[in-house]
């Protein structure tokens, strides 16, 4: 059975699957990333995990994977196949595509984790059928994926979609990126959790707790939550003005609050639009499987391109 390897590398864990030609998940597996052992050990762990998946395919489906797709965090140079930088994993300029291709004996596509997850959401998840979509993940930070005609734009230098670093409050809270007032300093799950922990005096309080307090009418929670929504709506208005997406997909930890987030967010964005067309604003549908599913799509796309080239030549 023809299949590909899909691998989603996170800061603490790796999710993987063998994916059939129709998108069916033939096998799933997880491993710890092992970042506490250092970047070289992380890379070796990725290579070993991929080799195990290849072996599983041979044993159970009679042939090795035809290709692999891998999603990694940080800065990714997709055309060169480099994992350029990751603060969480500690690596710099790792030629991960070539290392994996050599280990697997198959072509490999390397992608940015949020863009790869956005690809899956746009093509087979919440944005299915939309010719233009914007996927925004509200997690520890905020990042996005710009979808056009079933593909995701990475930009000339691999930085497309970094919506979290749109400045929404000039001169505001300093951001590790070097700017001040970035969107993710106000509307990420981490920012909301930090503000709520300070307001309620509980260092363990988080964004989910803030959302629960909003539903019970806590005034401090409502103030923090509304501040995050206003900042998010300001950042999204800039994105909508530039990109004109048909569907806006919102995922990540903050989106788990459901309509506690989406109802006021839709209203806040609608209040801000003037000439812009209001997109459908919908929650992400694939959860934490998006990155792995997107990696599978990258692998099948790579094979489709290769097959088409071979036929043409």
């Amino acid at each position: 059975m023809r299949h590909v390897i899909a691998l989603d590398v996170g800061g603490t864990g790796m999710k993987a699957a063998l994916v059939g030609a129709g998108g069916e998940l033939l096998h799933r597996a997880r491993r710890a990333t092992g970042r506490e052992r250092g970047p070289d050990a992380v890379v070796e762990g990725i290579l070993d995990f991929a080799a195990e998946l290849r072996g599983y395919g041979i044993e159970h489906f009679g042939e090795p994977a035809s290709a692999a797709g891998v999603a990694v965090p940080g800065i990714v140079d997709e055309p060169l196949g480099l994992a350029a930088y990751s603060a969480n994993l500690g690596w710099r300029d790792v030629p991960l595509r070539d290392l994996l291709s050599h280990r697997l004996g198959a072509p490999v596509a390397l992608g940015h984790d949020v863009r790869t997850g956005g690809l899956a959401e746009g093509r087979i998840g919440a944005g299915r059928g939309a010719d233009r979509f914007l996927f925004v993940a509200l997690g520890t930070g905020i990042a996005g994926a710009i979808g056009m005609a079933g593909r995701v734009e990475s930009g000339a230098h691999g930085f497309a979609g970094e919506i979290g670093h749109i400045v929404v409050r000039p001169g505001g809270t300093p951001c590790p990126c070097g700017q001040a007032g970035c969107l993710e300093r106000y509307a990420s799950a981490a920012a909301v959790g930090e503000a709520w922990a300070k307001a309620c005096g509980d260092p363990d309080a988080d964004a989910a707790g803030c959302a629960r307090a909003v539903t019970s009418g806590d005034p401090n929670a409502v103030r923090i939550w509304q501040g995050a929504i206003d900042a998010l709506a300001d950042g999204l208005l800039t994105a909508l003005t530039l990109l004109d997406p048909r569907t806006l997909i919102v995922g990540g930890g903050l989106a788990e609050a459901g309509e506690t987030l989406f109802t006021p967010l839709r209203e806040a964005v609608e209040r801000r639009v003037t000439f812009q067309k209001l997109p459908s604003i919908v929650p992400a549908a694939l959860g934490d499987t998006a990155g792995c599913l997107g990696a599978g799509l990258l692998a099948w796309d790579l094979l489709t391109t290769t097959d088409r080239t071979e036929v043409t030549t």
Side-chain angles (χ1 to χ4, degrees):
M1 180 181 294
R2 200 177 192 208
H3 62 277
V4 299
I5 292 170
L7 182 56
D8 179 19
V9 179
T12 57
M14 297 184 283
K15 296 182 286 289
L18 299 183
V19 185
E24 62 274 21
L25 297 178
L26 305 173
H27 170 66
R28 286 190 277 190
R30 290 177 181 251
R31 294 284 188 282
T33 305
R35 63 179 178 177
E36 70 281 355
R37 295 181 288 123
D40 290 342
V42 169
V43 172
E44 193 57 40
I46 293 169
L47 297 177
D48 288 345
F49 192 17
E52 287 178 25
L53 293 163
R54 180 182 187 275
Y56 186 97
I58 293 172
E59 180 180 353
H60 293 270
F61 305 117
E63 61 179 283
S66 300
V70 184
V72 298
I75 300 170
V76 182
D77 188 328
E78 293 170 7
L80 291 181
L82 289 177
Y85 174 71
S86 171
N88 283 336
L89 298 179
W91 61 32
R92 287 183 181 272
D93 296 328
V94 177
L96 197 54
R97 182 182 65 193
D98 289 347
L99 291 172
L100 280 163
S101 183
H102 178 74
R103 180 70 69 93
L104 297 173
V108 174
L110 185 68
H112 179 273
D113 56 353
V114 173
R115 289 197 293 267
T116 302
L119 174 67
E121 283 288 356
R123 197 182 294 182
I124 62 176
R128 183 195 292 266
D131 56 345
R132 298 286 188 278
F133 69 88
L134 174 63
F135 170 71
V136 178
L138 309 175
T140 303
I142 297 179
I146 302 164
M148 296 178 288
R151 296 189 178 275
V152 169
E153 173 60 42
S154 61
H157 307 96
F159 291 98
E162 290 293 344
I163 186 176
H165 297 289
I166 290 176
V167 174
V168 294
R169 301 291 181 264
T173 305
C175 180
C177 79
Q179 300 183 119
C182 287
L183 175 60
E184 69 176 41
R185 300 301 298 138
Y186 298 90
S188 64
V192 171
E194 181 180 334
W196 176 234
K198 183 177 180 180
C200 68
D202 179 0
D204 296 323
D206 58 12
C210 185
R212 289 192 295 270
V214 168
T215 62
S216 65
D218 184 289
N220 281 326
V222 171
R223 172 181 55 80
I224 291 166
W225 197 258
Q226 190 59 52
I229 285 171
D230 286 340
L232 182 56
D234 288 341
L236 291 176
L237 182 66
T238 297
L240 302 184
T241 304
L242 289 172
L243 301 173
D244 187 27
R246 196 172 307 279
T247 303
L248 170 60
I249 307 163
V250 182
L254 210 62
E256 293 176 7
E259 288 306 313
T260 301
L261 173 72
F262 283 93
T263 295
L265 178 61
R266 292 185 185 109
E267 293 170 354
V269 173
E270 187 170 4
R271 285 196 303 270
R272 285 162 171 77
V273 298
T274 54
F275 67 90
Q276 302 93 341
K277 293 294 185 181
L278 190 66
S280 299
I281 301 177
V282 299
L286 302 177
D288 69 354
T289 65
C292 195
L293 292 170
L297 292 173
L298 288 180
W300 281 113
D301 285 353
L302 185 63
L303 285 175
T304 301
T305 302
T306 302
D307 292 346
R308 188 183 300 121
T309 300
E310 289 175 351
V311 169
T312 302
T313 56

